[in-house]
């Protein structure tokens, strides 16, 4: 093991230290989600950064282009481009603490971001979320056909379907981090996108 220990509480403390000093960018959609759902735009201390792939080739509000990924029609987010080395750390974390053979291509990095009720429509299949930091409360609430379930995700990787069910973060106190591992693609789709790019 290069960065982590295999003990989830210790590894989450390490992850918090690693992420604390990183350049993390809350995307426009996440800002609007907070504005529409909570009534305010997130502050600088409230972060929801997408690490991974995006279809948006341009950086808002500038005309600069994002870095191209190997997949046709997909680009790397600004958070990914500035923190590409996190791939090794996230992969190690995944191997140690996520369900075996769980496939992901993106990670949502949240700090003090009390997500309002929403669905992650583009996501394929299940996501895995884990919370860490010095906080209390902040459970994952999931509305399944009118019945709300509350999941304690602190130091507890939890699998759920964010595309099919409305979910949100309950109130909390303290400093709350969370990581959501997910994908917009199946493995076969990514392979096809690489082939398509080579042909073109």
């Amino acid at each position: 093991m290069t960065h982590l220990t295999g003990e989830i509480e210790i590894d989450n403390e390490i992850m918090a230290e690693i992420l604390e000093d990183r350049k993390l960018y809350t995307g426009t959609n996440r800002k609007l989600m907070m504005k529409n759902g909570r009534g305010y735009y997130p502050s600088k201390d409230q972060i929801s950064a997408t690490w991974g792939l995006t279809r948006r080739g341009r950086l808002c509000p500038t005309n600069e282009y994002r870095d191209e990924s190997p997949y046709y029609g997909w680009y790397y987010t600004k958070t990914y481009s500035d923190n590409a080395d996190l791939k090794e750390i996230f992969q190690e974390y995944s191997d140690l603490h996520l369900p075996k053979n769980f496939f992901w291509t993106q990670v949502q990095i949240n700090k003090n971001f009390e997500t309002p009720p929403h669905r992650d429509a583009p996501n394929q299949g299940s996501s895995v979320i884990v919370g860490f930091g010095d906080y209390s409360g902040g459970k994952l609430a999931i509305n399944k056909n009118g019945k709300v379930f509350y999941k304690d995700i602190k130091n507890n990787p939890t699998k759920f379907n964010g595309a099919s069910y409305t979910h949100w973060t309950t109130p909390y106190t303290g400093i709350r981090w969370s990581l959501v591992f997910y994908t917009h693609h199946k493995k076969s789709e990514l392979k096809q996108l690489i082939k398509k790019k080579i042909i073109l």
Side-chain angles (χ1 to χ4, degrees):
M1 290 179 280
T2 306
H3 305 279
L4 307 174
T5 68
E7 297 291 334
I8 191 163
E9 291 188 13
I10 296 173
D11 289 348
N12 284 341
E13 290 178 5
I14 293 170
M15 188 68 76
E17 290 176 2
I18 290 171
L19 295 175
E20 188 65 50
D21 297 324
R22 296 296 180 133
K23 293 181 179 179
L24 303 174
Y25 308 93
T26 302
T28 302
N29 285 349
R30 304 297 283 187
K31 290 177 181 177
L32 290 174
M33 175 201 291
M34 187 68 91
K35 175 64 175 176
N36 294 333
R38 300 288 185 198
Y40 58 86
Y41 286 109
S43 68
K44 290 183 179 180
D45 292 329
Q46 297 171 310
I47 298 167
S48 185
T50 304
W51 182 96
L53 302 170
T54 178
R55 283 193 180 277
R56 296 176 184 85
R58 290 192 177 184
L59 284 164
C60 276
T62 72
N63 289 324
E64 295 179 37
Y65 276 91
R66 302 178 192 271
D67 295 333
E68 281 192 85
S69 80
Y71 310 113
Y72 181 75
W74 290 84
Y75 301 82
Y76 286 125
T77 63
K78 179 70 171 169
T79 295
Y80 180 100
S81 294
D82 284 351
N83 301 276
D85 64 303
L86 286 178
K87 182 175 183 178
E88 180 180 315
I89 299 169
F90 287 151
Q91 187 60 59
E92 185 177 348
Y93 189 94
S94 175
D95 292 342
L96 289 169
H97 303 300
L98 269 56
K100 188 176 181 181
N101 299 322
F102 179 76
F103 177 65
W104 57 271
T105 58
Q106 291 156 269
V107 182
Q108 196 70 33
I109 306 168
N110 300 303
K111 180 185 180 185
N112 296 333
F113 200 86
E114 190 178 329
T115 53
H118 70 287
R119 294 190 185 189
D120 302 308
N123 292 13
Q124 296 290 314
S126 295
S127 303
V128 175
I129 184 172
V130 60
F132 51 94
D134 185 12
Y135 75 93
S136 58
K139 292 184 178 180
L140 169 67
I142 306 171
N143 186 330
K144 291 188 176 181
N145 305 317
K147 186 173 182 180
V148 179
F149 297 84
Y150 296 94
K151 305 286 187 179
D152 186 358
I153 64 166
K154 188 172 183 179
N155 298 319
N156 180 32
T158 301
K159 197 173 182 180
F160 74 106
N161 193 315
S164 297
Y165 300 110
T166 300
H167 56 284
W168 63 94
T169 304
T170 66
Y172 61 90
T173 57
I175 305 298
R176 180 184 183 274
W177 288 90
S178 70
L179 298 177
V180 185
F181 294 79
Y182 64 98
T183 185
H184 287 166
H185 315 84
K186 297 176 182 178
K187 286 184 180 179
S188 58
E189 291 174 337
L190 290 178
K191 290 178 181 178
Q192 291 169 359
L193 287 170
I194 290 176
K195 290 179 181 178
K196 186 175 181 182
K197 186 168 184 178
I198 291 173
I199 290 171
L200 292 175

